[in-house]
Amino acid sequence: MVGGGWAGLAAAVRASQLGFRVRLLEAAPQLGGRARRVVHQGLALDNGQHILIGAYRQTLDLLHSLGLDEAHAFHRTPLNLQSLDGAGLRLPDLPSPWHLLAGVAMAKGWSWRDKLALVRQSLAWQRAGFACAPLASVAQVCTLLTPRVMQDLIEPLCVSALNIDSTEASAEVFLRVLSDALFAGAGSSDLLLPRHDLGQLLPDAAERWLLAQGADIVTHHLVSTLPSDTPVLLACPAWQAAELTHRLAPAWSAQASALAHTAIATVYLHTPEPLIWPSPMLALPTGPGAVAQFAFDKGRLSGQAQWRGVLAMVVSHCSLNRDDTTQAALWQAHAQLGLKQLTHLTTVVEKRATFACTPGLVRPGTVVAEGVWACGDYVAGPYPATLEGAVRSGIQAAESMAGQHMGENTA
Ligand SMILES: Cc1cc2nc3c(=O)[nH]c(=O)nc-3n(C[C@H](O)[C@H](O)[C@H](O)COP(=O)(O)OP(=O)(O)OC[C@H]3O[C@@H](n4cnc5c(N)ncnc54)[C@H](O)[C@@H]3O)c2cc1C
């Protein structure tokens, strides 16, 4: 197994359950990949604030199977995209579709025209089975919506799920996420906000479990050539997988290296002022100079004194440099959250945070070549670059490998 991000860890657990003896080689000093712990001045931060949703079934099942207690790991709340003044959508704790209808009816700052438009558009999506032309952009399938609903709901959902603006994002993938989240079973649209660092979710739990099964996990090990005597599962990012396979599988490699990527930045700040917010995550108003879409109260999420006053400001689809991003987030914390005393802790910019999920994008498949499989958030699948996409892909790749290698037992 090459790579110990969430896809590689999910694949390693599944492969081990299927009887493989797992050897996992990870280039970095720690597991977790793009969803990992980053320690800054004694505080266990993340390389980026993450949000999970209730529809991430395979991720939540995996965490549960590894013994993680959901209530300890996450702050679970019905979908809430409200800003500090209460404007925007907040769903009540009701079964689908009543949660959506009631949430829309109560949305503060929306006119009846806005609300009716969202109901009509949702019914149109539902009638079409959440399907659309493969080349359509998100903006093109939202023609019934008003600018207010686009600004308060669709843009924040699109940029947080696909990390790209609605005019450039794949409607096909967006509608799939929307139908899984907003129009599926109970709790699907809930937000699950990690209470602690990301390492305490899958990476630590999977490492413990794998070691207990006798797996061999080696960090600081950059794989530069593929072995030919054993099945290999590539769980490294697209650009690395492309490099490792360009001789072995040129067509697959070309598809992987053709993917474009977009950045996400997380600006961590501290304030001694009390954060009197209605919820630990706030949507931030869009407008000139606003780059961050969401702010998180890490103190309230963790419930621990050392985190009091720590904020994470998330800048999806980030196009500024680190300093400008930091300045813009500081300005937003001041102007939109009313905070006067702010200290900058650190800004983490992940330049290749996610692949750009554009309309009609062809993603490389799970099978690379004889004896070589790939998994990762970029591998063909129903989801955009998300933890759930990575986990699903990892599980699927391990099962595909097992289908071909019944009887052999090393990966
Ligand atoms: C800042 C940020 C915020 C995000 N927010 C969210 C969110 O809110 N919700 C959500 O669902 N998703 C979010 N995502 C996306 C999510 O983190 C990714 O989709 C997911 O972590 C990808 O996992 P992966 O295992 O496919 O790839 P990676 O995490 O990239 O794992 C690949 C691993 O392979 C290792 N590797 C690379 N090359 C080699 C080599 N040659 N030899 C050995 N090892 C190698 C790497 O070090 C890495 O550990 C976010 C991502 C970022 C960066």
Side-chain angles (χ1 to χ4, degrees):
M1 195 89 59
V2 181
W6 285 51
L9 292 169
V13 169
R14 190 70 192 117
S16 182
Q17 287 167 341
L18 291 167
F20 283 91
R21 201 168 59 245
V22 171
R23 179 151 207 260
L24 193 156
L25 305 174
E26 164 57 54
Q30 77 289 309
L31 301 174
R34 277 169 283 155
R36 67 179 185 280
R37 176 189 304 124
V38 172
V39 179
H40 175 80
Q41 295 179 351
L43 273 185
L45 303 172
D46 294 317
N47 69 311
Q49 173 69 45
H50 279 58
I51 308 172
L52 288 82
I53 56 171
Y56 283 10
R57 304 249 180 253
Q58 297 206 15
T59 306
L60 296 174
D61 285 352
L62 175 63
L63 293 175
H64 185 249
S65 75
L66 296 173
L68 232 87
D69 171 24
E70 190 192 293
H72 174 78
F74 297 107
H75 172 88
R76 186 188 258 264
T77 164
L79 183 76
N80 184 346
L81 297 175
Q82 288 183 324
S83 50
L84 188 57
D85 62 3
L89 188 72
R90 180 168 76 86
L91 301 189
D93 196 4
L94 291 173
S96 174
W98 305 111
H99 66 331
L100 191 58
L101 289 172
V104 170
M106 292 183 310
K108 197 174 146 195
W110 289 11
S111 69
W112 279 106
R113 215 180 125 248
D114 297 323
K115 296 176 184 184
L116 219 70
L118 180 54
V119 173
R120 284 177 56 214
Q121 183 70 76
S122 303
L123 289 172
W125 288 332
Q126 223 166 9
R127 268 197 308 274
F130 292 93
C132 66
L135 293 182
S137 71
V138 170
Q140 286 169 336
V141 297
C142 294
T143 48
L144 301 178
L145 296 180
T146 59
R148 182 72 200 242
V149 177
M150 283 304 286
Q151 176 197 298
D152 283 5
L153 182 68
I154 301 299
E155 295 293 354
L157 279 183
C158 181
V159 86
S160 55
L162 277 71
N163 196 23
I164 191 166
D165 291 338
S166 65
T167 50
E168 300 170 277
S170 160
E172 207 175 23
V173 177
F174 181 72
L175 288 179
R176 189 171 307 123
V177 175
L178 213 61
S179 94
D180 283 2
L182 287 182
F183 299 89
S188 299
S189 59
D190 287 356
L191 298 174
L192 282 94
L193 309 179
R195 291 189 186 280
H196 311 289
D197 65 84
L198 292 168
Q200 292 190 47
L201 296 177
L202 186 60
D204 292 353
E207 182 175 20
R208 268 194 308 273
W209 187 90
L210 286 164
L211 291 175
Q213 311 305 308
D216 185 15
I217 299 178
V218 187
T219 52
H220 298 96
H221 188 126
L222 180 80
V223 174
S224 48
T225 48
L226 297 183
S228 53
D229 54 345
T230 177
V232 178
L233 214 165
L234 291 174
C236 44
W239 56 93
Q240 274 286 326
E243 225 173 279
L244 287 168
T245 56
H246 75 278
R247 278 212 186 84
L248 178 75
W252 189 97
S253 167
Q255 268 184 350
S257 74
L259 296 174
H261 291 84
T262 50
I264 303 180
T266 305
V267 182
Y268 290 101
L269 305 174
H270 180 264
T271 180
E273 299 168 61
L275 297 175
I276 308 164
W277 296 359
S279 62
M281 172 184 133
L282 288 179
L284 297 168
T286 52
V291 294
Q293 295 84 22
F294 296 103
F296 296 78
D297 175 351
K298 302 289 282 180
R300 183 146 159 213
L301 283 173
S302 73
Q304 291 169 3
Q306 88 236 44
W307 287 94
R308 195 167 302 138
V310 177
L311 274 85
M313 313 270 292
V314 173
V315 184
S316 293
H317 199 192
C318 179
S319 54
L320 299 178
N321 65 34
R322 182 187 310 267
D323 288 348
D324 291 347
T325 303
T326 304
Q327 288 312 316
L330 276 163
W331 172 79
Q332 276 184 274
H334 179 70
Q336 299 182 334
L337 300 174
L339 298 169
K340 295 185 179 55
Q341 302 171 58
L342 287 160
T343 314
H344 175 231
L345 297 177
T346 186
T347 299
V348 188
V349 183
E350 285 275 355
K351 289 210 170 116
R352 291 192 280 195
T354 66
F355 68 85
C357 193
T358 48
L361 184 71
V362 181
R363 290 153 64 177
T366 302
V367 178
V368 180
E370 179 73 37
V372 182
W373 288 262
C375 63
D377 60 357
Y378 70 93
V379 170
Y383 270 55
T386 50
L387 298 174
E388 177 72 0
V391 166
R392 282 184 185 217
S393 158
I395 293 171
Q396 192 199 326
E399 289 175 352
S400 163
M401 188 172 70
Q404 289 230 339
H405 281 263
M406 300 297 263
E408 295 181 32
N409 67 352
T410 304

